[in-house]
Amino acid sequence: QKYKGMSEEVKDDNPYSRLMALKRMGVVQNYEKIRDCSVLVVGVGGVGSVLAEMLTRCGLGKLIIYDYDKVELANMNRLFYTPQQVGLSKVDAAKGTLQSINPEITIEAYNMNITTNNGFEHLLDRIKNGGNNGERINLVVSCVDNYAARMAINTACNELDQNWFESGVSEDAMSAHIQIMIPGETACFACATPLAVVESNEHTIKREGVCAASLPTTMGITAGFLAQNALKFLLDFGDLAFVLAYNAKADFFTNYMIKPNSECKESECRKRQAEKASKKQENILERLEQ
Ligand code: ATP
Ligand code: ZN
């Protein structure tokens, strides 16, 4: 059964009518804009697959997913994948499920490692040209579990001045964070070491031979925070979280902003900082002249 367009008459059997209620209730001005929005998710494991499902059910127009891994039986303590999908690439398995949930969504699925030269170039191209009509993607979300992949996404997004969200769940599954990165305006991944990785050596953030704990609860909560902030970002309502950190044992949340580091080791980050600072200066001068 095909989804009816959100602009069509609201009927109870239309899955969009409940979403459009957000507009009638004054939460969002223009919910149907979601159909023109595109999100690129790197890593469709425990967090990324659930994020992708949420965005698909929210009526997103286009989704691009990257992952280099296959579905394994060991993944069954998480959400989304099923035992029937064991052996399939995660991106193909995800694409099949997501497309059946919402036949109107456009999905590009890449079984690729984004830290290789080819993978990185591919990622740059899809960020620049992977949007709904071949334009720039609206948002990149990192749901990977290692330092190298996060740094690759950071480098790509600094270079392209692309807004992105980073996320992570700790090895013991008892804490998690999401972080919103606006190049030049908030800290990038290289500016400051994020909470979840504070105690690890930066090159072994995913420690070899250590079997990380994982809980579908912490991963689902993290995916929910990412999806909620993605909606706020794409549809321009509410306030963005910037760094949102979750401690599961205490049910404690913190929410704060990290300014960019003027001595960040990424030159593209320092360039974005200079550009945004001079833009701010221009805006102030313009206002003074008026
Ligand atoms: P575990 O390590 O606990 O078995 P996992 O590997 O599924 O779990 P998750 O944290 O659930 O890890 O998901 C992270 C996802 O990011 C994985 O599916 C992984 O394949 C993907 N990923 C990590 N690095 C890259 C990369 N360089 N390119 C593409 N995908 C990546
Ligand atoms: Zn930086």
Side-chain angles (χ1 to χ4, degrees), residues 42-47 66-69 75 78 90 112-115 143-146 149 206 212 219:
V42 186
V44 281
V47 174
Y66 281 88
D67 204 299
Y68 56 29
D69 205 10
N75 299 137
R78 291 158 220 165
K90 284 184 180 171
M112 255 181 219
N113 180 351
I114 58 129
T115 64
C143 300
V144 295
D145 56 355
N146 63 86
K206 185 172 182 176
M219 289 186 158

mmCIF file with all atom_site columns, all heavy atoms in Angstrom, residues 42-47 66-69 75 78 90 112-115 143-146 149 206 212 219, ligand 1:
data_model
loop_
_atom_site.group_PDB
_atom_site.id
_atom_site.type_symbol
_atom_site.label_atom_id
_atom_site.label_alt_id
_atom_site.label_comp_id
_atom_site.label_asym_id
_atom_site.label_entity_id
_atom_site.label_seq_id
_atom_site.pdbx_PDB_ins_code
_atom_site.Cartn_x
_atom_site.Cartn_y
_atom_site.Cartn_z
_atom_site.occupancy
_atom_site.B_iso_or_equiv
_atom_site.pdbx_formal_charge
_atom_site.auth_seq_id
_atom_site.auth_comp_id
_atom_site.auth_asym_id
_atom_site.auth_atom_id
_atom_site.pdbx_PDB_model_num
ATOM   1   N N   . VAL A 1 42  ? 26.082 7.635  8.224  1.00 0.00 ? 42  VAL A N   1
ATOM   2   C CA  . VAL A 1 42  ? 27.219 6.726  8.120  1.00 0.00 ? 42  VAL A CA  1
ATOM   3   C C   . VAL A 1 42  ? 27.171 5.762  9.296  1.00 0.00 ? 42  VAL A C   1
ATOM   4   O O   . VAL A 1 42  ? 27.219 6.180  10.445 1.00 0.00 ? 42  VAL A O   1
ATOM   5   C CB  . VAL A 1 42  ? 28.572 7.470  8.113  1.00 0.00 ? 42  VAL A CB  1
ATOM   6   C CG1 . VAL A 1 42  ? 29.709 6.483  7.848  1.00 0.00 ? 42  VAL A CG1 1
ATOM   7   C CG2 . VAL A 1 42  ? 28.581 8.589  7.088  1.00 0.00 ? 42  VAL A CG2 1
ATOM   8   N N   . GLY A 1 43  ? 27.063 4.474  8.999  1.00 0.00 ? 43  GLY A N   1
ATOM   9   C CA  . GLY A 1 43  ? 26.971 3.440  10.039 1.00 0.00 ? 43  GLY A CA  1
ATOM   10  C C   . GLY A 1 43  ? 25.520 3.114  10.341 1.00 0.00 ? 43  GLY A C   1
ATOM   11  O O   . GLY A 1 43  ? 24.811 3.911  10.937 1.00 0.00 ? 43  GLY A O   1
ATOM   12  N N   . VAL A 1 44  ? 25.059 1.935  9.866  1.00 0.00 ? 44  VAL A N   1
ATOM   13  C CA  . VAL A 1 44  ? 23.691 1.523  10.199 1.00 0.00 ? 44  VAL A CA  1
ATOM   14  C C   . VAL A 1 44  ? 23.753 0.295  11.103 1.00 0.00 ? 44  VAL A C   1
ATOM   15  O O   . VAL A 1 44  ? 23.202 -0.756 10.813 1.00 0.00 ? 44  VAL A O   1
ATOM   16  C CB  . VAL A 1 44  ? 22.793 1.299  8.952  1.00 0.00 ? 44  VAL A CB  1
ATOM   17  C CG1 . VAL A 1 44  ? 22.304 2.617  8.403  1.00 0.00 ? 44  VAL A CG1 1
ATOM   18  C CG2 . VAL A 1 44  ? 23.514 0.500  7.869  1.00 0.00 ? 44  VAL A CG2 1
ATOM   19  N N   . GLY A 1 45  ? 24.476 0.451  12.226 1.00 0.00 ? 45  GLY A N   1
ATOM   20  C CA  . GLY A 1 45  ? 24.529 -0.578 13.263 1.00 0.00 ? 45  GLY A CA  1
ATOM   21  C C   . GLY A 1 45  ? 23.429 -0.303 14.283 1.00 0.00 ? 45  GLY A C   1
ATOM   22  O O   . GLY A 1 45  ? 22.324 0.107  13.916 1.00 0.00 ? 45  GLY A O   1
ATOM   23  N N   . GLY A 1 46  ? 23.756 -0.514 15.557 1.00 0.00 ? 46  GLY A N   1
ATOM   24  C CA  . GLY A 1 46  ? 22.760 -0.403 16.624 1.00 0.00 ? 46  GLY A CA  1
ATOM   25  C C   . GLY A 1 46  ? 22.044 0.932  16.701 1.00 0.00 ? 46  GLY A C   1
ATOM   26  O O   . GLY A 1 46  ? 20.847 0.987  16.974 1.00 0.00 ? 46  GLY A O   1
ATOM   27  N N   . VAL A 1 47  ? 22.745 2.019  16.450 1.00 0.00 ? 47  VAL A N   1
ATOM   28  C CA  . VAL A 1 47  ? 22.131 3.354  16.520 1.00 0.00 ? 47  VAL A CA  1
ATOM   29  C C   . VAL A 1 47  ? 21.628 3.803  15.139 1.00 0.00 ? 47  VAL A C   1
ATOM   30  O O   . VAL A 1 47  ? 20.481 4.219  14.982 1.00 0.00 ? 47  VAL A O   1
ATOM   31  C CB  . VAL A 1 47  ? 23.132 4.388  17.088 1.00 0.00 ? 47  VAL A CB  1
ATOM   32  C CG1 . VAL A 1 47  ? 22.554 5.803  17.014 1.00 0.00 ? 47  VAL A CG1 1
ATOM   33  C CG2 . VAL A 1 47  ? 23.500 4.045  18.527 1.00 0.00 ? 47  VAL A CG2 1
ATOM   34  N N   . TYR A 1 66  ? 25.599 4.451  4.524  1.00 0.00 ? 66  TYR A N   1
ATOM   35  C CA  . TYR A 1 66  ? 26.899 3.805  4.311  1.00 0.00 ? 66  TYR A CA  1
ATOM   36  C C   . TYR A 1 66  ? 27.152 2.819  5.445  1.00 0.00 ? 66  TYR A C   1
ATOM   37  O O   . TYR A 1 66  ? 26.903 3.126  6.614  1.00 0.00 ? 66  TYR A O   1
ATOM   38  C CB  . TYR A 1 66  ? 28.042 4.824  4.372  1.00 0.00 ? 66  TYR A CB  1
ATOM   39  C CG  . TYR A 1 66  ? 28.244 5.658  3.136  1.00 0.00 ? 66  TYR A CG  1
ATOM   40  C CD1 . TYR A 1 66  ? 27.558 6.853  2.966  1.00 0.00 ? 66  TYR A CD1 1
ATOM   41  C CD2 . TYR A 1 66  ? 29.149 5.269  2.160  1.00 0.00 ? 66  TYR A CD2 1
ATOM   42  C CE1 . TYR A 1 66  ? 27.766 7.646  1.833  1.00 0.00 ? 66  TYR A CE1 1
ATOM   43  C CE2 . TYR A 1 66  ? 29.360 6.054  1.027  1.00 0.00 ? 66  TYR A CE2 1
ATOM   44  C CZ  . TYR A 1 66  ? 28.666 7.235  0.879  1.00 0.00 ? 66  TYR A CZ  1
ATOM   45  O OH  . TYR A 1 66  ? 28.872 8.008  -0.242 1.00 0.00 ? 66  TYR A OH  1
ATOM   46  N N   . ASP A 1 67  ? 27.679 1.662  5.123  1.00 0.00 ? 67  ASP A N   1
ATOM   47  C CA  . ASP A 1 67  ? 28.193 0.719  6.133  1.00 0.00 ? 67  ASP A CA  1
ATOM   48  C C   . ASP A 1 67  ? 28.997 -0.339 5.383  1.00 0.00 ? 67  ASP A C   1
ATOM   49  O O   . ASP A 1 67  ? 28.694 -0.645 4.227  1.00 0.00 ? 67  ASP A O   1
ATOM   50  C CB  . ASP A 1 67  ? 27.058 0.048  6.924  1.00 0.00 ? 67  ASP A CB  1
ATOM   51  C CG  . ASP A 1 67  ? 27.517 -0.437 8.294  1.00 0.00 ? 67  ASP A CG  1
ATOM   52  O OD1 . ASP A 1 67  ? 28.438 -1.300 8.346  1.00 0.00 ? 67  ASP A OD1 1
ATOM   53  O OD2 . ASP A 1 67  ? 26.995 0.044  9.309  1.00 0.00 ? 67  ASP A OD2 1
ATOM   54  N N   . TYR A 1 68  ? 30.012 -0.905 6.015  1.00 0.00 ? 68  TYR A N   1
ATOM   55  C CA  . TYR A 1 68  ? 30.817 -1.926 5.314  1.00 0.00 ? 68  TYR A CA  1
ATOM   56  C C   . TYR A 1 68  ? 30.612 -3.323 5.902  1.00 0.00 ? 68  TYR A C   1
ATOM   57  O O   . TYR A 1 68  ? 31.307 -4.262 5.526  1.00 0.00 ? 68  TYR A O   1
ATOM   58  C CB  . TYR A 1 68  ? 32.300 -1.570 5.312  1.00 0.00 ? 68  TYR A CB  1
ATOM   59  C CG  . TYR A 1 68  ? 32.951 -1.332 6.677  1.00 0.00 ? 68  TYR A CG  1
ATOM   60  C CD1 . TYR A 1 68  ? 32.506 -1.946 7.824  1.00 0.00 ? 68  TYR A CD1 1
ATOM   61  C CD2 . TYR A 1 68  ? 34.048 -0.489 6.786  1.00 0.00 ? 68  TYR A CD2 1
ATOM   62  C CE1 . TYR A 1 68  ? 33.111 -1.723 9.048  1.00 0.00 ? 68  TYR A CE1 1
ATOM   63  C CE2 . TYR A 1 68  ? 34.668 -0.265 8.002  1.00 0.00 ? 68  TYR A CE2 1
ATOM   64  C CZ  . TYR A 1 68  ? 34.188 -0.884 9.125  1.00 0.00 ? 68  TYR A CZ  1
ATOM   65  O OH  . TYR A 1 68  ? 34.786 -0.658 10.332 1.00 0.00 ? 68  TYR A OH  1
ATOM   66  N N   . ASP A 1 69  ? 29.659 -3.440 6.776  1.00 0.00 ? 69  ASP A N   1
ATOM   67  C CA  . ASP A 1 69  ? 29.508 -4.666 7.549  1.00 0.00 ? 69  ASP A CA  1
ATOM   68  C C   . ASP A 1 69  ? 28.292 -5.481 7.113  1.00 0.00 ? 69  ASP A C   1
ATOM   69  O O   . ASP A 1 69  ? 27.411 -4.984 6.426  1.00 0.00 ? 69  ASP A O   1
ATOM   70  C CB  . ASP A 1 69  ? 29.342 -4.251 9.023  1.00 0.00 ? 69  ASP A CB  1
ATOM   71  C CG  . ASP A 1 69  ? 29.775 -5.333 9.984  1.00 0.00 ? 69  ASP A CG  1
ATOM   72  O OD1 . ASP A 1 69  ? 30.368 -6.327 9.538  1.00 0.00 ? 69  ASP A OD1 1
ATOM   73  O OD2 . ASP A 1 69  ? 29.505 -5.183 11.190 1.00 0.00 ? 69  ASP A OD2 1
ATOM   74  N N   . ASN A 1 75  ? 24.176 -9.354 16.283 1.00 0.00 ? 75  ASN A N   1
ATOM   75  C CA  . ASN A 1 75  ? 23.493 -8.060 16.286 1.00 0.00 ? 75  ASN A CA  1
ATOM   76  C C   . ASN A 1 75  ? 22.070 -8.146 16.853 1.00 0.00 ? 75  ASN A C   1
ATOM   77  O O   . ASN A 1 75  ? 21.386 -7.132 16.973 1.00 0.00 ? 75  ASN A O   1
ATOM   78  C CB  . ASN A 1 75  ? 23.379 -7.485 14.849 1.00 0.00 ? 75  ASN A CB  1
ATOM   79  C CG  . ASN A 1 75  ? 24.726 -7.243 14.187 1.00 0.00 ? 75  ASN A CG  1
ATOM   80  O OD1 . ASN A 1 75  ? 24.910 -7.549 13.024 1.00 0.00 ? 75  ASN A OD1 1
ATOM   81  N ND2 . ASN A 1 75  ? 25.674 -6.699 14.940 1.00 0.00 ? 75  ASN A ND2 1
ATOM   82  N N   . ARG A 1 78  ? 20.288 -6.004 19.449 1.00 0.00 ? 78  ARG A N   1
ATOM   83  C CA  . ARG A 1 78  ? 19.918 -4.628 19.119 1.00 0.00 ? 78  ARG A CA  1
ATOM   84  C C   . ARG A 1 78  ? 18.589 -4.625 18.391 1.00 0.00 ? 78  ARG A C   1
ATOM   85  O O   . ARG A 1 78  ? 17.985 -5.665 18.177 1.00 0.00 ? 78  ARG A O   1
ATOM   86  C CB  . ARG A 1 78  ? 21.008 -3.993 18.268 1.00 0.00 ? 78  ARG A CB  1
ATOM   87  C CG  . ARG A 1 78  ? 22.250 -3.781 19.091 1.00 0.00 ? 78  ARG A CG  1
ATOM   88  C CD  . ARG A 1 78  ? 23.463 -3.659 18.258 1.00 0.00 ? 78  ARG A CD  1
ATOM   89  N NE  . ARG A 1 78  ? 24.543 -4.380 18.914 1.00 0.00 ? 78  ARG A NE  1
ATOM   90  C CZ  . ARG A 1 78  ? 25.659 -4.721 18.334 1.00 0.00 ? 78  ARG A CZ  1
ATOM   91  N NH1 . ARG A 1 78  ? 25.851 -4.436 17.076 1.00 0.00 ? 78  ARG A NH1 1
ATOM   92  N NH2 . ARG A 1 78  ? 26.571 -5.363 19.000 1.00 0.00 ? 78  ARG A NH2 1
ATOM   93  N N   . LYS A 1 90  ? 24.568 -4.912 5.727  1.00 0.00 ? 90  LYS A N   1
ATOM   94  C CA  . LYS A 1 90  ? 23.638 -4.123 6.542  1.00 0.00 ? 90  LYS A CA  1
ATOM   95  C C   . LYS A 1 90  ? 22.874 -3.119 5.696  1.00 0.00 ? 90  LYS A C   1
ATOM   96  O O   . LYS A 1 90  ? 21.671 -2.916 5.885  1.00 0.00 ? 90  LYS A O   1
ATOM   97  C CB  . LYS A 1 90  ? 24.397 -3.389 7.658  1.00 0.00 ? 90  LYS A CB  1
ATOM   98  C CG  . LYS A 1 90  ? 24.813 -4.290 8.802  1.00 0.00 ? 90  LYS A CG  1
ATOM   99  C CD  . LYS A 1 90  ? 25.475 -3.507 9.927  1.00 0.00 ? 90  LYS A CD  1
ATOM   100 C CE  . LYS A 1 90  ? 25.879 -4.453 11.059 1.00 0.00 ? 90  LYS A CE  1
ATOM   101 N NZ  . LYS A 1 90  ? 26.713 -3.773 12.079 1.00 0.00 ? 90  LYS A NZ  1
ATOM   102 N N   . MET A 1 112 ? 30.324 0.267  1.837  1.00 0.00 ? 112 MET A N   1
ATOM   103 C CA  . MET A 1 112 ? 31.638 0.872  1.628  1.00 0.00 ? 112 MET A CA  1
ATOM   104 C C   . MET A 1 112 ? 32.282 1.283  2.935  1.00 0.00 ? 112 MET A C   1
ATOM   105 O O   . MET A 1 112 ? 31.582 1.602  3.895  1.00 0.00 ? 112 MET A O   1
ATOM   106 C CB  . MET A 1 112 ? 31.439 2.176  0.836  1.00 0.00 ? 112 MET A CB  1
ATOM   107 C CG  . MET A 1 112 ? 31.832 2.103  -0.595 1.00 0.00 ? 112 MET A CG  1
ATOM   108 S SD  . MET A 1 112 ? 31.548 3.714  -1.325 1.00 0.00 ? 112 MET A SD  1
ATOM   109 C CE  . MET A 1 112 ? 30.929 3.161  -2.888 1.00 0.00 ? 112 MET A CE  1
ATOM   110 N N   . ASN A 1 113 ? 33.610 1.315  2.916  1.00 0.00 ? 113 ASN A N   1
ATOM   111 C CA  . ASN A 1 113 ? 34.371 1.836  4.049  1.00 0.00 ? 113 ASN A CA  1
ATOM   112 C C   . ASN A 1 113 ? 34.717 3.294  3.747  1.00 0.00 ? 113 ASN A C   1
ATOM   113 O O   . ASN A 1 113 ? 35.462 3.559  2.805  1.00 0.00 ? 113 ASN A O   1
ATOM   114 C CB  . ASN A 1 113 ? 35.642 1.005  4.227  1.00 0.00 ? 113 ASN A CB  1
ATOM   115 C CG  . ASN A 1 113 ? 36.478 1.487  5.388  1.00 0.00 ? 113 ASN A CG  1
ATOM   116 O OD1 . ASN A 1 113 ? 36.216 2.548  5.977  1.00 0.00 ? 113 ASN A OD1 1
ATOM   117 N ND2 . ASN A 1 113 ? 37.492 0.724  5.727  1.00 0.00 ? 113 ASN A ND2 1
ATOM   118 N N   . ILE A 1 114 ? 34.198 4.212  4.530  1.00 0.00 ? 114 ILE A N   1
ATOM   119 C CA  . ILE A 1 114 ? 34.392 5.631  4.211  1.00 0.00 ? 114 ILE A CA  1
ATOM   120 C C   . ILE A 1 114 ? 35.793 6.139  4.558  1.00 0.00 ? 114 ILE A C   1
ATOM   121 O O   . ILE A 1 114 ? 36.125 7.270  4.245  1.00 0.00 ? 114 ILE A O   1
ATOM   122 C CB  . ILE A 1 114 ? 33.339 6.533  4.902  1.00 0.00 ? 114 ILE A CB  1
ATOM   123 C CG1 . ILE A 1 114 ? 33.389 6.338  6.423  1.00 0.00 ? 114 ILE A CG1 1
ATOM   124 C CG2 . ILE A 1 114 ? 31.940 6.267  4.370  1.00 0.00 ? 114 ILE A CG2 1
ATOM   125 C CD1 . ILE A 1 114 ? 33.495 7.630  7.167  1.00 0.00 ? 114 ILE A CD1 1
ATOM   126 N N   . THR A 1 115 ? 36.623 5.298  5.209  1.00 0.00 ? 115 THR A N   1
ATOM   127 C CA  . THR A 1 115 ? 37.982 5.770  5.528  1.00 0.00 ? 115 THR A CA  1
ATOM   128 C C   . THR A 1 115 ? 39.001 5.415  4.440  1.00 0.00 ? 115 THR A C   1
ATOM   129 O O   . THR A 1 115 ? 40.130 5.846  4.505  1.00 0.00 ? 115 THR A O   1
ATOM   130 C CB  . THR A 1 115 ? 38.487 5.214  6.877  1.00 0.00 ? 115 THR A CB  1
ATOM   131 O OG1 . THR A 1 115 ? 38.602 3.800  6.775  1.00 0.00 ? 115 THR A OG1 1
ATOM   132 C CG2 . THR A 1 115 ? 37.545 5.563  8.019  1.00 0.00 ? 115 THR A CG2 1
ATOM   133 N N   . CYS A 1 143 ? 26.991 7.560  12.894 1.00 0.00 ? 143 CYS A N   1
ATOM   134 C CA  . CYS A 1 143 ? 26.586 6.519  13.846 1.00 0.00 ? 143 CYS A CA  1
ATOM   135 C C   . CYS A 1 143 ? 27.616 5.397  13.801 1.00 0.00 ? 143 CYS A C   1
ATOM   136 O O   . CYS A 1 143 ? 27.268 4.216  13.840 1.00 0.00 ? 143 CYS A O   1
ATOM   137 C CB  . CYS A 1 143 ? 25.198 5.998  13.515 1.00 0.00 ? 143 CYS A CB  1
ATOM   138 S SG  . CYS A 1 143 ? 23.932 7.252  13.567 1.00 0.00 ? 143 CYS A SG  1
ATOM   139 N N   . VAL A 1 144 ? 28.878 5.774  13.676 1.00 0.00 ? 144 VAL A N   1
ATOM   140 C CA  . VAL A 1 144 ? 29.957 4.790  13.616 1.00 0.00 ? 144 VAL A CA  1
ATOM   141 C C   . VAL A 1 144 ? 30.491 4.528  15.020 1.00 0.00 ? 144 VAL A C   1
ATOM   142 O O   . VAL A 1 144 ? 30.114 5.200  15.978 1.00 0.00 ? 144 VAL A O   1
ATOM   143 C CB  . VAL A 1 144 ? 31.090 5.257  12.683 1.00 0.00 ? 144 VAL A CB  1
ATOM   144 C CG1 . VAL A 1 144 ? 30.592 5.350  11.258 1.00 0.00 ? 144 VAL A CG1 1
ATOM   145 C CG2 . VAL A 1 144 ? 31.649 6.595  13.146 1.00 0.00 ? 144 VAL A CG2 1
ATOM   146 N N   . ASP A 1 145 ? 31.374 3.549  15.140 1.00 0.00 ? 145 ASP A N   1
ATOM   147 C CA  . ASP A 1 145 ? 31.829 3.149  16.471 1.00 0.00 ? 145 ASP A CA  1
ATOM   148 C C   . ASP A 1 145 ? 33.343 3.231  16.606 1.00 0.00 ? 145 ASP A C   1
ATOM   149 O O   . ASP A 1 145 ? 33.916 2.554  17.436 1.00 0.00 ? 145 ASP A O   1
ATOM   150 C CB  . ASP A 1 145 ? 31.339 1.723  16.765 1.00 0.00 ? 145 ASP A CB  1
ATOM   151 C CG  . ASP A 1 145 ? 31.803 0.745  15.697 1.00 0.00 ? 145 ASP A CG  1
ATOM   152 O OD1 . ASP A 1 145 ? 32.411 1.180  14.706 1.00 0.00 ? 145 ASP A OD1 1
ATOM   153 O OD2 . ASP A 1 145 ? 31.567 -0.464 15.858 1.00 0.00 ? 145 ASP A OD2 1
ATOM   154 N N   . ASN A 1 146 ? 34.004 4.019  15.760 1.00 0.00 ? 146 ASN A N   1
ATOM   155 C CA  . ASN A 1 146 ? 35.469 4.104  15.881 1.00 0.00 ? 146 ASN A CA  1
ATOM   156 C C   . ASN A 1 146 ? 35.969 5.489  15.495 1.00 0.00 ? 146 ASN A C   1
ATOM   157 O O   . ASN A 1 146 ? 35.300 6.247  14.789 1.00 0.00 ? 146 ASN A O   1
ATOM   158 C CB  . ASN A 1 146 ? 36.135 3.012  15.039 1.00 0.00 ? 146 ASN A CB  1
ATOM   159 C CG  . ASN A 1 146 ? 35.826 3.188  13.567 1.00 0.00 ? 146 ASN A CG  1
ATOM   160 O OD1 . ASN A 1 146 ? 36.499 3.927  12.861 1.00 0.00 ? 146 ASN A OD1 1
ATOM   161 N ND2 . ASN A 1 146 ? 34.767 2.531  13.096 1.00 0.00 ? 146 ASN A ND2 1
ATOM   162 N N   . ALA A 1 149 ? 36.724 6.552  11.557 1.00 0.00 ? 149 ALA A N   1
ATOM   163 C CA  . ALA A 1 149 ? 35.541 6.884  10.760 1.00 0.00 ? 149 ALA A CA  1
ATOM   164 C C   . ALA A 1 149 ? 34.985 8.255  11.171 1.00 0.00 ? 149 ALA A C   1
ATOM   165 O O   . ALA A 1 149 ? 34.595 9.058  10.322 1.00 0.00 ? 149 ALA A O   1
ATOM   166 C CB  . ALA A 1 149 ? 34.477 5.801  10.922 1.00 0.00 ? 149 ALA A CB  1
ATOM   167 N N   . LYS A 1 206 ? 38.018 2.431  19.557 1.00 0.00 ? 206 LYS A N   1
ATOM   168 C CA  . LYS A 1 206 ? 37.377 1.126  19.575 1.00 0.00 ? 206 LYS A CA  1
ATOM   169 C C   . LYS A 1 206 ? 38.506 0.142  19.852 1.00 0.00 ? 206 LYS A C   1
ATOM   170 O O   . LYS A 1 206 ? 39.331 -0.134 18.995 1.00 0.00 ? 206 LYS A O   1
ATOM   171 C CB  . LYS A 1 206 ? 36.703 0.808  18.249 1.00 0.00 ? 206 LYS A CB  1
ATOM   172 C CG  . LYS A 1 206 ? 35.946 -0.498 18.355 1.00 0.00 ? 206 LYS A CG  1
ATOM   173 C CD  . LYS A 1 206 ? 35.096 -0.818 17.190 1.00 0.00 ? 206 LYS A CD  1
ATOM   174 C CE  . LYS A 1 206 ? 34.376 -2.125 17.477 1.00 0.00 ? 206 LYS A CE  1
ATOM   175 N NZ  . LYS A 1 206 ? 33.455 -2.479 16.438 1.00 0.00 ? 206 LYS A NZ  1
ATOM   176 N N   . ALA A 1 212 ? 32.635 -4.944 23.317 1.00 0.00 ? 212 ALA A N   1
ATOM   177 C CA  . ALA A 1 212 ? 31.835 -3.880 23.914 1.00 0.00 ? 212 ALA A CA  1
ATOM   178 C C   . ALA A 1 212 ? 30.470 -4.416 24.305 1.00 0.00 ? 212 ALA A C   1
ATOM   179 O O   . ALA A 1 212 ? 29.904 -5.253 23.610 1.00 0.00 ? 212 ALA A O   1
ATOM   180 C CB  . ALA A 1 212 ? 31.688 -2.733 22.933 1.00 0.00 ? 212 ALA A CB  1
ATOM   181 N N   . MET A 1 219 ? 20.976 2.302  22.894 1.00 0.00 ? 219 MET A N   1
ATOM   182 C CA  . MET A 1 219 ? 21.095 2.607  21.466 1.00 0.00 ? 219 MET A CA  1
ATOM   183 C C   . MET A 1 219 ? 19.813 3.233  20.918 1.00 0.00 ? 219 MET A C   1
ATOM   184 O O   . MET A 1 219 ? 19.855 4.170  20.124 1.00 0.00 ? 219 MET A O   1
ATOM   185 C CB  . MET A 1 219 ? 21.464 1.355  20.696 1.00 0.00 ? 219 MET A CB  1
ATOM   186 C CG  . MET A 1 219 ? 22.904 0.954  20.995 1.00 0.00 ? 219 MET A CG  1
ATOM   187 S SD  . MET A 1 219 ? 23.452 -0.406 19.980 1.00 0.00 ? 219 MET A SD  1
ATOM   188 C CE  . MET A 1 219 ? 25.218 -0.182 20.071 1.00 0.00 ? 219 MET A CE  1
HETATM 189 P P1  . ATP B 2 .   ? 29.776 -4.400 17.662 1.00 0.00 ? 1   ATP B P1  1
HETATM 190 O O1  . ATP B 2 .   ? 31.079 -3.723 17.325 1.00 0.00 ? 1   ATP B O1  1
HETATM 191 O O2  . ATP B 2 .   ? 29.358 -4.194 19.086 1.00 0.00 ? 1   ATP B O2  1
HETATM 192 O O3  . ATP B 2 .   ? 29.627 -5.795 17.166 1.00 0.00 ? 1   ATP B O3  1
HETATM 193 P P2  . ATP B 2 .   ? 28.678 -2.951 15.464 1.00 0.00 ? 1   ATP B P2  1
HETATM 194 O O4  . ATP B 2 .   ? 29.969 -3.169 14.767 1.00 0.00 ? 1   ATP B O4  1
HETATM 195 O O5  . ATP B 2 .   ? 27.396 -3.284 14.778 1.00 0.00 ? 1   ATP B O5  1
HETATM 196 O O6  . ATP B 2 .   ? 28.664 -3.608 16.882 1.00 0.00 ? 1   ATP B O6  1
HETATM 197 P P3  . ATP B 2 .   ? 27.530 -0.402 16.129 1.00 0.00 ? 1   ATP B P3  1
HETATM 198 O O7  . ATP B 2 .   ? 28.032 0.584  17.105 1.00 0.00 ? 1   ATP B O7  1
HETATM 199 O O8  . ATP B 2 .   ? 26.250 -1.095 16.386 1.00 0.00 ? 1   ATP B O8  1
HETATM 200 O O9  . ATP B 2 .   ? 28.687 -1.432 15.927 1.00 0.00 ? 1   ATP B O9  1
HETATM 201 O O10 . ATP B 2 .   ? 27.446 0.292  14.702 1.00 0.00 ? 1   ATP B O10 1
HETATM 202 C C1  . ATP B 2 .   ? 28.481 0.988  14.092 1.00 0.00 ? 1   ATP B C1  1
HETATM 203 C C2  . ATP B 2 .   ? 28.354 0.748  12.611 1.00 0.00 ? 1   ATP B C2  1
HETATM 204 O O11 . ATP B 2 .   ? 29.247 1.608  11.912 1.00 0.00 ? 1   ATP B O11 1
HETATM 205 C C3  . ATP B 2 .   ? 28.704 -0.680 12.232 1.00 0.00 ? 1   ATP B C3  1
HETATM 206 O O12 . ATP B 2 .   ? 27.636 -1.246 11.499 1.00 0.00 ? 1   ATP B O12 1
HETATM 207 C C4  . ATP B 2 .   ? 29.955 -0.517 11.383 1.00 0.00 ? 1   ATP B C4  1
HETATM 208 O O13 . ATP B 2 .   ? 30.025 -1.459 10.335 1.00 0.00 ? 1   ATP B O13 1
HETATM 209 C C5  . ATP B 2 .   ? 29.796 0.898  10.846 1.00 0.00 ? 1   ATP B C5  1
HETATM 210 N N1  . ATP B 2 .   ? 31.106 1.492  10.479 1.00 0.00 ? 1   ATP B N1  1
HETATM 211 C C6  . ATP B 2 .   ? 32.152 1.697  11.303 1.00 0.00 ? 1   ATP B C6  1
HETATM 212 N N2  . ATP B 2 .   ? 33.199 2.220  10.641 1.00 0.00 ? 1   ATP B N2  1
HETATM 213 C C7  . ATP B 2 .   ? 32.809 2.366  9.347  1.00 0.00 ? 1   ATP B C7  1
HETATM 214 C C8  . ATP B 2 .   ? 33.441 2.844  8.157  1.00 0.00 ? 1   ATP B C8  1
HETATM 215 N N3  . ATP B 2 .   ? 34.702 3.276  8.173  1.00 0.00 ? 1   ATP B N3  1
HETATM 216 N N4  . ATP B 2 .   ? 32.735 2.846  6.996  1.00 0.00 ? 1   ATP B N4  1
HETATM 217 C C9  . ATP B 2 .   ? 31.461 2.390  6.972  1.00 0.00 ? 1   ATP B C9  1
HETATM 218 N N5  . ATP B 2 .   ? 30.808 1.938  8.063  1.00 0.00 ? 1   ATP B N5  1
HETATM 219 C C10 . ATP B 2 .   ? 31.457 1.910  9.242  1.00 0.00 ? 1   ATP B C10 1
#
